[in-house]
Amino acid sequence: MLLMCLKAFLIGGIICVIGQLLIDLTKLTPARILVSFVCIGVLLGATGFYDKLVDFAGAGATLPLTGFGSALARGVREAVEKDGFMGIFTGPFTAMAGGVTVAVLSGLITALVTKPKDK
């Protein structure tokens, strides 16, 4: 259990350090870095490499945005096997519907509970 937590912490931390270095050392905006992480996750998920990383690191690989991209790729792959060509369009939505729903509802609850302030 301790080793599993350590691996998750290290891999998740490395992904976050890469993001922070990109923010600090480049002129990329945080939004572009986030989109890049999702696209990298899709590419690594499509090649099957990210699944090996998830097997090794668990939540340390599934929780960052690269894990979101990998889940999108996995959803497409499974939907294409099941539904053929139309799976390209339906796979990402069915694979990530739960995660997107939780994100939207969390944002809604936060907006209702807190008082926004102007900067």
Side-chain angles (χ1 to χ4, degrees), residues 44-59:
L44 293 175
T47 60
F49 177 76
Y50 209 80
D51 293 334
K52 294 175 186 169
L53 186 62
V54 169
D55 290 341
F56 175 76

Side-chain angles (χ1 to χ4, degrees), residues 9-79:
F9 178 77
L10 289 174
I11 297 300
I14 288 170
I15 293 170
C16 292
V17 165
I18 291 169
Q20 189 63 49
L21 288 172
L22 289 172
I23 290 171
D24 292 343
L25 302 176
T26 68
K27 293 187 184 272
L28 292 172
T29 63
R32 289 184 182 195
I33 293 168
L34 295 175
V35 169
S36 298
F37 272 31
V38 172
C39 292
I40 289 168
V42 168
L43 292 173
L44 293 175
T47 60
F49 177 76
Y50 209 80
D51 293 334
K52 294 175 186 169
L53 186 62
V54 169
D55 290 341
F56 175 76
T62 58
L63 291 180
L65 283 174
T66 50
F68 180 78
S70 173
L72 289 174
R74 188 178 324 107
V76 169
R77 185 176 35 224
E78 291 171 0

Side-chain angles (χ1 to χ4, degrees), residues 70-109:
S70 173
L72 289 174
R74 188 178 324 107
V76 169
R77 185 176 35 224
E78 291 171 0
V80 167
E81 289 173 3
K82 180 182 170 197
D83 301 328
F85 180 76
M86 287 304 292
I88 295 172
F89 305 107
T90 60
F93 296 112
T94 56
M96 295 311 301
V100 172
T101 301
V102 168
V104 170
L105 290 177
S106 298
L108 176 65
I109 291 169

Side-chain angles (χ1 to χ4, degrees), residues 115-119:
K115 294 181 182 180
K117 297 178 184 176
D118 290 334
K119 288 187 174 185

